[in-house]
Amino acid sequence: MYPTALTQLARGNPFSSPLFNIQKVEEPKQSLHGQRTRTLAAAATSDEGPEVEFGSQKYFLLCGFGGILSCGTTHAALVPLDLIKCRLQVDPEKFKSIGNGFRLTVREDGVRGLAKGWAPTFIGYSMQGLCKFGFYEVFKVFYSDLLGEENTYLWRTSLYLAASASAEFFADIALAPMEAVKVRIQTKPGYANTLRECVPKMYAEEGVWAFYKGVVPLWMRQIPYTMMKFSCFERTVELLYKHAVPKPRSECTKSEQLVVTFVAGYIAGVFCAIVSHPADSVVSVLNKESGSTATQVLKKLGPKGVWKGLVARIIMIGTLTALQWFIYDSVKVYFRLPRPAPPEMPESLKMKLALTE
């Protein structure tokens, strides 16, 4: 049995299955931490509850698997747009715009050239997704236990920010090698065309450092990005159901819930792209040029240069984020993972604030 703080946190998850009905269930009289009995609104199917217990090892592993599918497949699908975005960043004199970038790439490399770097993209972002979503769920539970039930609700935005930042720290270490290979293939014509060709060549020239020299700029790019991705998404879902959706979430159909998920994901993606774009520009140039440092690249690009390719990245990241949450939600539905409602104020806190009689 997990602490009631975890149960309350589970209710804060923005997803809800249309197959679930809200029923009252009684918790055992005492948890491991000695908390008193209380009544909860819990998600349950008409026959039985979710097959996977919230907070269990299986739950975290399946969340990680959902992250692999959501990040690996979506990033691989958008490789052509990512390729043009990187070329706009590293060679703005040649690639003037998104349309111009597509035309020049097809003219020089053919249509197949638009798929350059798909293998390191798929592998790298699959590993990143495993850590990003899996560790996010782990750290969300961990920090919730530290805060307690009432503070988990009051400080839920801070909890989302802390859990996502902690998860992304490890996710970027997993991503860095393949990100370096991907950028080298995409932005350095004639260097290498495949993963198998690029890896040994990079290792022979710069050693292991070639694959990890971009990890600090990755942290600069991805940690703010992921903090925005998770916190903005969670709070946007909460606000949409509270102010925009004309009926309770429990009465929404599956299609309606997925629309909310997609819209919230796209809104979060736009903000993600903006806050992380300068660091993304540094990463792209850094991985193209041998021997450069992040500081040197930043000085070379200047205040305006770091914003090159922003429109392409907003389109890419907005679509990515929306699709990732959609796929992640679908994985949770398929494996019958707990998907409780947006958070509600605990009864004990309502009494303290004199909001109930």
Side-chain angles (χ1 to χ4, degrees), residues 260-276:
V260 173
T261 297
F262 191 89
V263 170
Y266 211 102
I267 292 171
V270 171
F271 288 101
C272 289
I274 294 172
V275 301
S276 62

Side-chain angles (χ1 to χ4, degrees), residues 4 41 116-117 177 304:
T4 52
K116 273 189 174 182
K304 292 183 178 180

Side-chain angles (χ1 to χ4, degrees), residues 57 59-61 80 91 100 104 107 149 153 202 240 256 259 266 292 324 348:
Q57 184 178 14
Y59 173 81
F60 293 134
L61 289 174
D91 195 356
N100 172 258
L104 285 177
R107 184 187 306 162
E149 180 183 27
Y153 174 80
M202 290 177 65
L240 287 175
E256 290 168 340
V259 168
Y266 211 102
S292 297
Q324 284 172 3
S348 59

Side-chain angles (χ1 to χ4, degrees), residues 14-16 18 233 236-238 240-241 244-247 249 252-268 318 321-323 325-327 329-330 339:
F15 299 127
S16 170
F233 174 80
T236 300
V237 167
E238 185 179 337
L240 287 175
Y241 278 116
V245 180
K247 57 185 176 181
R249 193 208 53 171
C252 294
T253 65
K254 181 177 181 179
S255 297
E256 290 168 340
Q257 291 177 14
L258 290 176
V259 168
V260 173
T261 297
F262 191 89
V263 170
Y266 211 102
I267 292 171
T321 306
L323 289 175
W325 281 114
F326 181 91
I327 294 171
D329 188 20
S330 300
R339 301 163 62 244

